[in-house]
Amino acid sequence: MFEWSDEQMMVRDAVRQFIDREIRPNIEALEHGDTPPYDTLRKLFATFGMDAAARDRFKRQIDFERAVADATERGEAPPQKPGRDGDGGASSLTVIPIIELCRVCPGMVTAMGVSMGLTSAAIMAKGTIAQKERWVPELLTLEKVGAWAITEPDSGSDAFGSMKASARRDGDEYLLNGSKTFITNGPYADTVVFICKLDEGNPPAERKVLSFVLDRGMAGLEQSKPLRKMGMHSSPTGELFLSDVRVGRDRLIGETEDVARGGREGAKATFQQERSGVAAMALGIISECLELSVAYARDRVQFGQPIGEFQLIQEKLARMEIARLNVQNLVFRFVEMQAAGRDLTLAEASAMKLYSARAATEVAMEAVQLFGGNGYMSEFRVEQLARDAKVLQIYGGTDEIQITHIAKDLLRR
Amino acid sequence: MNVVVCVKQIPDPADPGALEEDHTLKRTGKLILDESDSFGVEMALQLVDKAGGGDVTLVSMAPNDETSGLRTALAMGAAKAVLVSDPALAGAGALDTAKVLAAAIGRVEGADLILAATESSDGYTGTVPEQIAGVLDLPSITFAKHVEVADGTVSVQRQTELGYDQCESPLPAVVSVTAGVVEPRYPSFKGIMAAKSKPVDQVTVADLGIDASAVGAAGAGQQIVEVTPAPERQAGEIIEDDGEAHLKIIDFLDGLKVL
């Protein structure tokens, strides 16, 4: 594919219309006020039937898992998983809203992606059927807000090595302790996936990594107010403090301590969705910055001519267009691969994220430069996108971590 | 209940096209659903939904076989469409349009109600719905701001300058709706994906038993002799507040006869 199909363009136009009516006029409240993004996101989901589609997908998945479980219990051969012949381009129905939202309000995508993506995926990947049914459907529809809590004040890229959050056995239950920070949706989360180490008195490096599902309001769980940050203001980020939070085994994901590779693999399982999602976010930011920059270069007159006549400005536009083409090609390739039932390798997903995040930051900063003094002012939009873009190089694995993942994946083949 | 909605596909107003040599609008390229028609489509969908069954059928005409605009209405939930697509329709006027649409409506079985917008966003003649009613010899109600159907009767609140008239008509009838009648829905993603496979019955004027010379530029009986740009908007009057500005505002509003 080299462009969206007619249907995909209709999806794009419909989402764009929704954003122009529901989000652009409220951008001030979402970015600089006390309006959390969730009601608007829920409206987006309901308007386009994304909530009903998510419920259907979930039901099909659970029905299959239950059929497998029942057959295994009866000692029969479990039903074959339906052949993976691609998603028919369905990934575009996620990718297009991400792109369009990121033209205006990338923080909303972060809030949405963490809730329905990371948090639900953590439970879907390793949870029991009962746990999935208990927590996942409402996360997928955004009826409930989810947070995925791994990062701590002293553990970022080295998430497991320096992790202090702990679970200790107490009879049939566990006592959870620790603090988490930079947690997207932390201040408003209804459902929290809390990642910690099982403290059996053994050295920290040997401890198993376990994940628990917590609900808002549990005794000992404190959720901070939103932290102030450089960008992504429409995505509330906060701290979580756990002080002897008592949980039963029903909240331990998988209801077992026997986790593969000490539990260190599970948290990486979602890298493909997360990293390709960042590329789609970057494409939204780049496309908006480029469009705004071209219009400004035409209209802004200095030294008696539109600034677009100056070669230094032309160079900026040219570089922006190159970035747009490259990132769009990466996104199209991802959509095509999903349609063909193929997955990205770790190196591909990491390269996609690294390149796109850098390109988005560079394009957005250059857009600010092209706009000059106006670019530094909020009214002209590009300063927000520049602040928002920067985090794409930091979250979901820093640029530096992406580089190591690309190299490691290439070297181990 | 089966509802027919007359819809028009027009060049995107956000990207106004050029004019042909005969001063008619260039209609080549992508055409979109006239926004004023989305209200009729929504009204029809709600009425059928409330009636607990039936179909919404679109009826439209175009000088080419463009269907982008129809797909939008199909994505909203309309079941099918009849598109009269014929080069002979280029340059059509209001009455020949009404005759063609009336004939196309005749292809839809069991139409209980025919809805249309008050006027199109590119032509603005505002006469086609009543002409269709005339051709089909059906009762017609204009400027509907609220529509209800019960027991074979359509009840309409008909917008007037001072308020509204309460009108009733037996079905079948032709009703033209205003932009305030209902809030059009966005097409759901599922609806968009399904729209491609919904049937669009493409017919020519000959298929409708109409002589091509009776429609379009040949049969419209009208000619656009000149097109002039709309007058530039005049600058507003600025009143410095010397403590008496409110009186001047009252005078101004009084002059508009809005007080």
Side-chain angles (χ1 to χ4, degrees):
Chain A
M1 78 193 268
F2 62 93
E3 61 185 6
W4 297 117
S5 69
D6 286 348
E7 282 78 27
Q8 287 162 336
M9 290 292 270
M10 278 175 81
V11 167
R12 189 200 70 176
D13 291 348
V15 171
R16 199 172 273 187
Q17 203 177 34
F18 178 93
I19 289 170
D20 286 346
R21 284 187 195 159
E22 305 282 339
I23 298 179
R24 280 194 197 268
N26 300 317
I27 197 74
E28 192 65 26
L30 287 160
E31 286 289 318
H32 302 295
D34 296 321
T35 306
Y38 311 110
D39 283 342
T40 307
L41 286 168
R42 286 178 192 124
K43 191 168 182 187
L44 173 82
F45 270 50
T47 297
F48 295 107
M50 294 160 81
D51 50 353
R55 272 192 292 267
D56 287 349
R57 262 199 318 278
F58 176 78
K59 188 179 177 302
R60 280 199 302 276
Q61 171 75 20
I62 288 295
D63 286 349
F64 174 73
E65 288 183 19
R66 188 166 287 125
V68 171
D70 289 351
T72 311
E73 200 171 302
R74 290 194 303 267
E76 297 168 9
Q80 287 288 310
K81 194 165 183 167
R84 197 161 166 222
D85 54 359
D87 68 355
S91 67
S92 64
L93 299 184
T94 311
V95 167
I96 291 170
I98 291 175
I99 296 170
E100 293 304 317
L101 281 168
C102 281
R103 285 170 162 264
V104 183
C105 202
M108 295 187 84
V109 174
T110 303
M112 173 179 87
V114 167
S115 188
M116 59 173 297
L118 279 183
T119 311
S120 70
I123 304 172
M124 281 309 276
K126 305 281 177 193
T128 63
I129 290 179
Q131 287 174 328
K132 292 173 189 176
E133 290 187 312
R134 182 171 171 189
W135 285 295
V136 172
E138 287 170 308
L139 287 172
L140 292 178
T141 58
L142 282 180
E143 285 161 273
K144 288 209 169 156
V145 176
W148 186 74
I150 186 165
T151 302
E152 299 180 5
D154 294 324
S155 86
S157 294
D158 181 19
F160 298 127
S162 343
M163 184 176 283
K164 292 201 183 79
S166 68
R168 279 197 312 279
R169 294 193 196 97
D170 187 59
D172 289 340
E173 299 178 320
Y174 297 89
L175 286 175
L176 308 181
N177 283 281
S179 36
K180 297 286 180 183
T181 193
F182 309 153
I183 305 306
T184 297
N185 296 332
Y188 298 98
D190 303 300
T191 306
V192 176
V193 169
F194 176 75
I195 300 165
C196 58
K197 286 185 170 176
L198 178 64
D199 182 355
E200 301 175 280
N202 51 345
E206 293 169 11
R207 290 176 189 172
K208 288 176 178 173
V209 174
L210 302 180
S211 301
F212 292 87
V213 187
L214 310 177
D215 292 325
R216 183 180 191 80
M218 287 178 73
L221 170 63
E222 191 192 327
Q223 299 172 251
S224 80
K225 287 191 178 136
L227 301 166
R228 286 179 69 109
K229 51 192 193 296
M230 176 176 171
M232 296 288 188
H233 292 161
S234 54
S235 162
T237 306
E239 296 169 293
L240 301 175
F241 304 100
L242 280 79
S243 168
D244 282 341
V245 175
R246 181 173 291 280
V247 293
R249 190 166 268 254
D250 60 313
R251 291 180 179 275
L252 168 62
I253 293 186
E255 295 191 30
T256 174
E257 292 174 3
D258 294 325
V259 282
R261 291 202 59 229
R264 284 161 175 75
E265 201 60 28
K268 289 179 187 167
T270 53
F271 75 87
Q272 171 172 277
Q273 289 308 325
E274 192 183 15
R275 291 178 189 179
S276 60
V278 167
M281 293 181 76
L283 180 55
I285 292 172
I286 291 168
S287 303
E288 184 78 2
C289 286
L290 177 60
E291 272 183 33
L292 292 171
S293 295
V294 169
Y296 192 80
R298 277 206 194 103
D299 293 346
R300 173 74 170 175
V301 174
Q302 289 289 281
F303 305 104
Q305 53 187 322
I307 61 169
E309 298 296 320
F310 300 118
Q311 290 185 338
L312 287 173
I313 298 296
Q314 292 177 355
E315 195 253 4
K316 291 185 197 307
L317 295 177
R319 290 172 69 97
M320 289 181 193
E321 173 66 356
I322 292 166
R324 188 193 66 81
L325 273 171
N326 282 335
V327 175
Q328 180 176 275
N329 284 340
L330 287 170
V331 170
F332 281 174
R333 179 175 185 272
F334 172 72
V335 170
E336 280 283 282
M337 284 182 73
Q338 294 289 292
R342 297 260 303 277
D343 286 324
L344 298 171
T345 65
L346 178 62
E348 286 174 335
S350 307
M352 189 175 172
K353 195 227 170 212
L354 175 71
Y355 179 84
S356 306
R358 283 181 170 174
T361 307
E362 189 189 319
V363 166
M365 288 302 281
E366 283 294 81
V368 172
Q369 190 67 24
L370 186 147
F371 274 72
N374 284 330
Y376 205 66
M377 298 293 130
S378 298
E379 184 190 345
F380 288 81
R381 303 283 314 129
V382 288
E383 67 85 29
Q384 181 213 316
L385 295 174
R387 289 184 288 102
D388 290 350
K390 184 63 195 173
V391 82
L392 302 185
Q393 290 182 272
I394 298 170
Y395 71 20
T398 59
D399 279 5
E400 292 74 14
I401 290 292
Q402 304 301 327
I403 291 168
T404 65
H405 283 182
I406 298 167
K408 269 186 203 162
D409 192 24
L410 294 175
L411 291 169
R412 78 177 165 209
R413 289 179 195 171
Chain B
M1 186 174 69
N2 293 313
V3 183
V4 168
V5 190
C6 300
V7 299
K8 187 170 185 181
Q9 304 179 97
I10 62 171
D12 190 343
D15 183 22
L19 297 178
E20 302 280 5
E21 270 179 20
D22 63 357
H23 303 310
T24 58
L25 202 54
K26 259 202 166 81
R27 293 180 188 278
T28 50
K30 189 180 172 184
L31 301 174
I32 66 166
L33 180 70
D34 188 340
E35 195 187 348
S36 64
D37 286 327
S38 60
F39 300 97
V41 174
E42 178 65 38
M43 189 72 251
L45 291 169
Q46 289 188 16
L47 288 172
V48 166
D49 202 35
K50 209 170 167 186
D55 276 339
V56 174
T57 306
L58 310 168
V59 167
S60 188
M61 65 175 238
N64 54 26
D65 57 1
E66 172 67 23
T67 57
S68 299
L70 294 178
R71 295 289 171 206
T72 302
L74 292 169
M76 288 172 72
K80 57 190 194 297
V82 180
L83 173 64
V84 189
S85 155
D86 200 315
L89 291 168
L95 183 57
D96 53 325
T97 298
K99 287 176 180 168
V100 171
L101 291 177
I105 290 165
R107 289 176 73 88
V108 183
E109 274 179 38
D112 300 300
L113 177 66
I114 295 137
L115 295 179
T118 295
E119 57 188 357
S120 63
S121 305
D122 59 347
Y124 284 112
T125 62
T127 55
V128 172
E130 296 69 52
Q131 290 173 333
I132 290 174
V135 173
L136 293 174
D137 199 20
L138 291 176
S140 146
I141 303 176
T142 52
F143 302 118
K145 73 179 198 81
H146 183 82
V147 181
E148 280 186 49
V149 170
D151 307 324
T153 302
V154 58
S155 308
V156 170
Q157 291 177 5
R158 182 181 180 275
Q159 184 78 52
T160 66
E161 274 187 23
L162 296 173
Y164 64 87
D165 298 331
Q166 185 69 48
C167 307
E168 277 188 7
S169 160
L171 295 177
V174 179
V175 174
S176 66
V177 300
T178 67
V181 69
V182 277
E183 182 68 22
R185 70 191 66 187
Y186 291 92
S188 73
F189 291 173
K190 203 173 167 184
I192 289 172
M193 294 304 163
K196 195 181 185 178
S197 52
K198 288 183 174 175
V200 176
D201 178 20
Q202 285 204 22
V203 295
T204 62
V205 289
D207 293 334
L208 297 174
I210 296 173
D211 185 353
S213 66
V215 298
Q222 64 180 31
Q223 211 180 346
I224 301 169
V225 291
E226 196 185 353
V227 175
T228 51
E232 292 278 326
R233 218 166 126 178
Q234 302 293 308
E237 184 189 351
I238 295 171
I239 299 168
E240 294 282 342
D241 187 8
D242 52 2
E244 301 291 314
H246 61 285
L247 296 174
K248 289 177 180 164
I249 292 171
I250 291 169
D251 283 348
F252 176 75
L253 293 175
D254 198 36
L256 292 177
K257 298 197 182 342
V258 295
L259 291 183

